[in-house]
Amino acid sequence: MPELPEVETMVRDLAPRVVGRTIVNLDAYFTGSVVWPSYTEFRDRAVQQTIQAISRRGKYAIFELGSGDALIIHRGMTGSLLLRHPQEPAESHVRLAFVLDDGMELRFNDPRKFGKVYVMDGTGGERPLPWARMGPEPLNGAFTVEGLKLALSSRTALIKPLLLNQEVVAGLGNIYVDEALFAAQIHPQRRAHTLSDEEIGRVYQAIRAVLAAAIEGRGTTFSSYTDIEGRAGSHQSALQVFQRTGAPCPRCGVPIMRLVVGGRGTHVCPHCQKVE
DNA sequence: ACAATATCCTGCGAGC
DNA sequence: TGCTCGCAGGATATTG
């Protein structure tokens, strides 16, 4: 599950390798990964373009092209970008392969086909950018404790699904929401408007700390996430609750429990995180 | 407007 | 051993 730290790691790794390179060809094995525009127009607008810069917004990776277009990639659940020599055997689920002018290939490998790729005018004039309604970036000044209070105080929904909502805050997914709520000692089934200012302050700090630590560890590897060379991240060993059902809580020793919240597998310490 | 739930897709693990 | 079945989940569509 590539969330903000995994996309950030990818963007940082890619920048020195692909900025300045020109896309000289594109091979498609599943054109359905391209959601905008049509595949043929996508190809026309991507090929022969030079990558001027690469950045991230939420879980989207953004390649700025010389034309002013943006090549935008969302990895979904199982998507990865791999920088490979064309001679290296193809991974089992390569959907698109961008051939670069230095002879390398940027492969979009995506077993479950949840990933999405776009080319569009980078200013949003052509159609709204995928992050047009997205909430603040949690690791820069756009994200404030006051803003989070404003976003949560009037909402009756459960805190976990709200934090997964990209319009509230950008970049969180299932792993880091569970980790942040554990760090803040807030139960994922609390109703958002019942959180005190002090509790929202803890959630705010926890989101930032958990994401920063995960970037430091180059992301979390479960099953499918790897970096652009296919190597695992290291942060999974630092996780406190996610996928640790039955293991002792690092804070109190009570076994971690798994429950389902908003249809998503959820991990809590039943002692440190109380619903009421 | 908001909240809750269904949907997409395929590898994998559980169970028989 | 080999088969079937259900689960996993980000974002969006649909329903309430």
Side-chain angles (χ1 to χ4, degrees), chain A residues 178-186 202 206-207 209-210 240 251 273:
Chain A
D178 280 5
E179 291 296 312
L181 288 173
F182 171 77
Q185 303 190 55
I186 299 295
R202 295 208 310 262
I207 288 170
V210 158
Q240 307 282 291
R251 188 183 289 118
Q273 295 165 274

Side-chain angles (χ1 to χ4, degrees), chain A residues 26-41:
Chain A
L26 171 60
D27 295 315
Y29 306 92
F30 175 65
T31 58
S33 294
V34 175
V35 299
W36 181 268
S38 68
Y39 172 71
T40 50
E41 187 182 342

Side-chain angles (χ1 to χ4, degrees), chain A residues 156-209:
Chain A
T156 61
L158 306 179
I159 184 68
K160 171 162 176 171
L162 268 185
L163 293 179
L164 287 172
N165 182 342
Q166 302 298 296
E167 296 183 23
V168 172
V169 56
L172 289 174
N174 209 36
I175 297 173
Y176 299 113
V177 166
D178 280 5
E179 291 296 312
L181 288 173
F182 171 77
Q185 303 190 55
I186 299 295
H187 195 284
Q189 287 173 312
R190 289 277 303 277
R191 299 271 162 190
H193 71 279
T194 70
L195 269 67
S196 68
D197 283 0
E198 195 270 330
E199 288 175 323
I200 293 176
R202 295 208 310 262
V203 171
Y204 173 83
Q205 292 298 340
I207 288 170
R208 292 172 59 100

Side-chain angles (χ1 to χ4, degrees), chain A residues 211-226:
Chain A
L211 292 176
I215 291 171
E216 197 71 20
R218 296 181 49 77
T220 298
T221 295
F222 281 119
S223 57
S224 59
Y225 167 76
T226 63

Side-chain angles (χ1 to χ4, degrees), chain A residues 174-186 206-207 209-211 213-214 219-220 222 234-258 266-273:
Chain A
N174 209 36
I175 297 173
Y176 299 113
V177 166
D178 280 5
E179 291 296 312
L181 288 173
F182 171 77
Q185 303 190 55
I186 299 295
I207 288 170
V210 158
L211 292 176
T220 298
F222 281 119
S234 72
H235 192 68
Q236 57 277 6
S237 60
L239 297 180
Q240 307 282 291
V241 290
F242 191 80
Q243 294 271 300
R244 296 192 69 247
T245 309
C249 167
R251 188 183 289 118
C252 76
V254 167
I256 300 301
M257 270 182 52
R258 182 183 184 279
T266 298
H267 309 79
V268 296
C269 169
H271 179 257
C272 298
Q273 295 165 274

Side-chain angles (χ1 to χ4, degrees), chain A residues 7-21:
Chain A
V7 181
E8 180 66 22
T9 300
M10 177 184 87
V11 164
R12 289 182 185 184
D13 286 352
L14 280 175
R17 308 278 299 272
V18 305
V19 170
R21 299 272 63 80

Side-chain angles (χ1 to χ4, degrees), chain A residues 11 13-24 46 48-55 62-66 83 99-104 106:
Chain A
V11 164
D13 286 352
L14 280 175
R17 308 278 299 272
V18 305
V19 170
R21 299 272 63 80
T22 296
I23 299 167
V24 295
Q48 299 309 332
Q49 291 299 316
T50 298
I51 299 166
Q52 309 278 20
I54 170 169
S55 58
I62 307 158
F63 298 77
E64 290 172 38
L65 305 180
L83 196 59
V99 183
L100 305 180
D101 62 352
D102 62 355
M104 295 294 282
L106 193 59

